[in-house]
Amino acid sequence: MLQRLEIQNVAIIDKVEIELGDGLNVLTGETGAGKSIIIDSINAILGQRLYKDLIRTGRDKAIVEAVFQVDKKRVEDLLEDFGIDWEEDGTLVVSREFTTSGKNTCRINGRIATVSMLKQLGERLIDVHGQHDNQSLLRTESHIDLLDSFASSRLQSLKDEYLKHLETYRKIKSRLKELTGDKNERERKIDILKYQIDEIKKAKLKTGEEEELSKQRELLVNSEKITNTLSNAYELLGSGGKFGESALDMINKAASDFGGIEEFDAKYDELKKRIEAVAIELDDIVSEIRNLRDNMEYDPDLLMQIESRLDVLYRLKKKYGDSVEEILEYKDKIEKELDEILNNEEIVNKLNEELLEEDGKLYRLAKEMNNERVKASKLLEEKIGEELKDLEMKNTSFKVRIDFDDSTENGERKYNNNGLDRVEFMISTNAGEPLKPLAKIASGGEMSRVMLAIKTILAKVDKIPTMIFDEIDIGISGVAAQKVGEKLCYISKNHQVISVTHLAQIACMADNNYYIDKVTENGNTRTVVKKLDERGKRDEIARILGGASITDITLKHAEEMLDKAKEFKK
């Protein structure tokens, strides 16, 4: 429930704090005092659209903060999705700050949130009913849940069984999609895999091939440079040629010269042997250089073949992997995938049989659920009709429209979590007029009473903890007003109810009364909120009955109304 509301700089409200209680909370006061502003402020923390002219004149921002006491189960999944921690004591703090520049800052339990998040959360916390603001009952998608809540326990049993089969049905469909997809998609997949496998096989890839080809290509591209280098080296080291005496000739001459002094010292003999060893090694090197030079050929055809092969490898790498090894691994993988697709006919046939069996079970359960809903709708229509008559709407007709949609799309029925039914509440508020969707009702007063009638019947099954009725008394008086008060009192046994009213018949039924007043100080007007004690409650009811002039008669009338209200509550 909504425990506390703090409003700053909204319209004529400077700053007010309202502590709200269980049961029926009634806000009264003169027209223009700020009652509707309080409702507008609540709408702000419910994520409704705001206009900057709602900010108090002379201020650059307005703030609304609400403190709720909430059952964890009601909002736990949303808070988890939002990444917001749950307070162990069940406290939920929602705030919204909006500025003249149009900037919004929203918070849930101190964490930054979006307006959309406020709206999603607000739909689970408060239901606002007024001449222009109606939430859950105007959302057609919520009608089926309300009807199901009103129906017998058999419907819930059927629904539980249906949901189990629906989960199995969806798993089978998912598996079939993995294995086959649709027929066209399957054929496309097979063609693609076959093409890829064929392309890789035709390439006859070998591990290490790319590196070897790149090496050969490098040699061929640089063959002229290599040949020149080998020729120069051969002349320098071995033949002499244009350079005159070669290195090998000079080393051999040095060895010969050392042969003339080797007898004088063992060191010279050692040096001679070492020079001779160098000459032998150099002679071997020169021979190898000569062979390399003589066998070096530039073959443009071979280069072209290598370039072509490397291009094939490049294109395959772009498609299937960064190396020949990865391409071959990819080929193995898609060969297995193709084999599964081509050879899973037996599995697919079995799954299709299971899917057909589950479809039959779902359809049977959906039909049974439809029958239960039809039964419940007749009883709901009757009871709501009685409530509407009680609220002086004797010519109003209320119907529950149930459409059983067993049409198929691509050969499959469109099962959802509620079966195959679409439920919508229909109404006609005047004799002779056709039934229309609930959202099409034109009169705000009629809309409010229709909502009240429906809420009275569904009060025990509707899970929204707080309900707000903003001037639900528009256009009613006398017996109808008394009945409205009684029904609000009845609803407040299972919900926190907040009602803005001008009727004494509603005010006297309240568990908590608040007087909204407008005061002017130093040329500035502001709204104040006062919670009334028993005497204040009596005086306020007398004011509503008698206007500005409160007499002994109006006070006595107020006391009588309060006594009757207490008797009714008992």
Side-chain angles (χ1 to χ4, degrees):
M1 72 170 199
L2 178 57
Q3 288 185 318
R4 184 172 64 84
L5 183 68
E6 182 176 326
I7 308 168
Q8 294 183 45
N9 301 328
V10 178
I12 60 171
I13 294 177
D14 181 16
K15 181 176 180 179
V16 298
E17 293 183 16
I18 309 173
E19 299 284 343
L20 295 156
D22 294 330
L24 178 56
N25 299 267
V26 172
L27 281 59
T28 57
E30 296 287 355
T31 300
K35 300 184 295 298
S36 293
I37 298 169
I38 292 172
I39 304 303
D40 288 340
S41 299
I42 293 174
N43 280 328
I45 55 97
L46 298 180
Q48 299 300 311
R49 186 176 180 182
L50 293 174
Y51 298 94
K52 61 183 180 182
D53 55 4
L54 196 60
I55 299 172
R56 183 175 171 83
T57 303
R59 301 290 193 271
D60 58 2
K61 68 179 179 180
I63 302 172
V64 181
E65 182 176 88
V67 179
F68 296 89
Q69 189 68 31
V70 186
D71 180 2
K72 183 178 182 180
K73 293 179 181 177
R74 181 148 195 85
V75 297
E76 184 177 20
D77 61 323
L78 268 185
L79 294 184
E80 187 176 335
D81 289 344
F82 297 161
I84 295 173
D85 294 332
W86 168 259
E87 297 293 336
E88 289 301 322
D89 63 356
T91 300
L92 189 67
V93 181
V94 182
S95 67
R96 186 174 181 183
E97 178 182 298
F98 47 104
T99 67
T100 51
S101 65
K103 181 182 177 182
N104 271 277
T105 303
C106 307
R107 286 185 171 83
I108 301 172
N109 278 357
R111 294 285 299 274
I112 291 292
T114 64
V115 173
S116 174
M117 289 162 67
L118 291 193
K119 193 167 186 177
Q120 290 180 66
L121 185 63
E123 288 176 351
R124 299 195 186 185
L125 299 176
I126 297 180
D127 214 348
V128 180
H129 303 286
Q131 293 191 66
H132 305 292
D133 300 297
N134 296 282
Q135 291 181 14
S136 64
L137 286 172
L138 294 189
R139 294 195 304 275
T140 303
E141 60 271 19
S142 72
H143 294 178
I144 194 166
D145 293 327
L146 290 170
L147 177 62
D148 287 359
S149 299
F150 185 74
S152 67
S153 58
R154 172 167 164 71
L155 175 61
Q156 190 55 54
S157 297
L158 289 168
K159 199 170 184 179
D160 290 342
E161 185 181 355
Y162 170 87
L163 288 171
K164 289 178 183 176
H165 286 289
L166 182 63
E167 183 180 4
T168 302
Y169 180 83
R170 287 172 173 168
K171 284 181 178 178
I172 294 171
K173 282 185 66 178
S174 177
R175 179 61 180 148
L176 280 169
K177 187 175 181 181
E178 287 176 8
L179 291 173
T180 63
D182 60 54
K183 289 183 179 179
N184 291 334
E185 180 61 30
R186 181 174 181 270
E187 293 303 319
R188 280 195 295 271
K189 184 72 172 176
I190 290 172
D191 287 344
I192 290 170
L193 292 176
K194 283 183 175 179
Y195 173 81
Q196 291 178 342
I197 292 167
D198 187 56
E199 185 178 28
I200 295 171
K201 280 185 173 180
K202 282 182 177 178
K204 296 180 180 179
L205 301 176
K206 296 177 183 177
T207 302
E209 177 185 16
E210 184 180 17
E211 292 77 5
E212 183 61 32
L213 289 172
S214 296
K215 185 177 178 181
Q216 288 183 39
R217 176 184 176 278
E218 196 72 18
L219 285 172
L220 287 170
V221 168
N222 295 283
S223 60
E224 184 178 356
K225 181 180 179 181
I226 294 170
T227 300
N228 289 336
T229 300
L230 291 172
S231 296
N232 288 337
Y234 176 70
E235 291 187 10
L236 284 168
L237 298 175
S239 70
K242 62 182 177 180
F243 299 104
E245 203 171 9
S246 70
L248 183 59
D249 291 337
M250 288 187 281
I251 291 172
N252 282 326
K253 184 176 183 300
S256 177
D257 289 344
F258 266 89
I261 63 170
E262 62 181 335
E263 59 182 285
F264 301 124
D265 195 318
K267 291 181 181 178
Y268 303 143
D269 182 51
E270 180 64 27
L271 283 171
K272 176 194 171 194
K273 290 177 180 178
R274 288 172 64 187
I275 293 170
E276 287 175 342
V278 170
I280 293 170
E281 176 66 20
L282 183 57
D283 186 55
D284 188 55
I285 292 171
V286 168
S287 296
E288 187 171 346
I289 291 173
R290 183 178 65 246
N291 289 333
L292 288 172
R293 181 200 64 183
D294 292 345
N295 293 318
M296 190 71 192
E297 293 182 8
Y298 172 67
D299 187 344
D301 291 336
L302 179 59
L303 179 60
M304 187 178 291
Q305 291 173 20
I306 291 172
E307 292 280 12
S308 177
R309 182 61 175 171
L310 286 171
D311 185 58
V312 169
L313 295 178
Y314 174 75
R315 283 188 285 107
L316 290 176
K317 283 167 59 180
K318 282 190 71 175
K319 293 180 182 180
Y320 308 123
D322 292 332
S323 66
V324 169
E325 288 79 7
E326 286 187 17
I327 295 170
L328 293 171
E329 286 175 9
Y330 178 76
K331 179 181 74 70
D332 293 340
K333 175 186 170 185
I334 60 176
E335 280 178 334
K336 290 178 183 178
E337 187 177 350
L338 179 62
D339 186 61
E340 284 183 2
I341 294 174
L342 293 175
N343 297 296
N344 65 3
E345 187 175 350
E346 185 178 340
I347 299 172
V348 169
N349 288 340
K350 185 179 177 182
L351 287 173
N352 278 323
E353 287 175 6
E354 291 176 5
L355 189 70
L356 189 62
E357 184 180 346
E358 289 298 323
D359 178 80
K361 292 175 181 177
L362 286 172
Y363 187 74
R364 175 182 59 79
L365 289 166
K367 284 289 290 182
E368 291 185 40
M369 288 160 63
N370 174 263
N371 291 336
E372 291 298 317
R373 286 181 178 127
V374 170
K375 291 177 189 176
S377 69
K378 301 303 179 188
L379 185 58
L380 184 62
E381 288 170 357
E382 180 183 340
K383 287 188 172 293
I384 288 179
E386 291 171 359
E387 292 293 331
L388 292 172
K389 287 178 183 177
D390 207 23
L391 287 165
E392 299 300 305
M393 295 182 72
K394 296 179 172 57
N395 294 321
T396 299
S397 297
F398 176 87
K399 294 290 179 183
V400 179
R401 176 179 168 181
I402 304 176
D403 294 325
F404 184 75
D405 182 12
D406 61 352
S407 62
T408 59
E409 186 175 310
N410 297 323
E412 296 178 355
R413 295 189 181 97
K414 294 170 280 189
Y415 295 112
N416 59 52
N417 289 350
N418 290 307
L420 295 171
D421 288 327
R422 183 181 183 277
V423 175
E424 185 170 17
F425 294 163
M426 309 290 287
I427 197 160
S428 170
T429 55
N430 296 299
E433 288 187 357
L435 291 164
K436 295 179 181 179
L438 207 58
K440 301 291 184 181
I441 300 173
S443 165
E446 288 175 330
M447 174 69 86
S448 296
R449 277 183 284 169
V450 169
M451 290 299 163
L452 182 58
I454 295 172
K455 284 296 181 182
T456 302
I457 296 299
L458 300 176
K460 290 184 179 180
V461 298
D462 196 333
K463 305 301 182 185
I464 293 183
T466 299
M467 297 183 184
I468 296 176
F469 295 91
D470 184 12
E471 297 192 359
I472 198 171
D473 52 15
I474 292 294
I476 62 172
S477 59
V479 176
Q482 181 65 32
K483 292 294 182 181
V484 168
E486 291 174 359
K487 293 187 190 307
L488 287 175
C489 182
Y490 174 75
I491 294 172
S492 71
K493 300 302 178 184
N494 294 294
H495 305 267
Q496 180 191 44
V497 176
I498 302 169
S499 176
V500 176
T501 186
H502 292 283
L503 291 179
Q505 292 94 325
I506 295 176
C508 69
M509 291 287 180
D511 297 299
N512 305 286
N513 291 76
Y514 303 86
Y515 179 63
I516 316 300
D517 195 14
K518 182 169 61 175
V519 298
T520 302
E521 295 174 348
N522 302 321
N524 291 316
T525 302
R526 62 186 178 88
T527 293
V528 295
V529 179
K530 180 181 180 183
K531 185 174 182 180
L532 302 176
D533 55 19
E534 286 300 314
R535 182 170 180 175
K537 182 175 180 178
R538 181 205 65 176
D539 292 348
E540 174 59 7
I541 292 171
R543 182 196 67 79
I544 296 171
L545 291 169
S549 176
I550 300 178
T551 64
D552 290 340
I553 294 174
T554 55
L555 286 171
K556 185 173 178 58
H557 190 185
E559 288 173 354
E560 288 176 354
M561 292 183 72
L562 287 168
D563 289 339
K564 286 182 179 179
K566 288 176 183 177
E567 287 298 316
F568 176 81
K569 289 179 181 181
K570 289 180 183 178

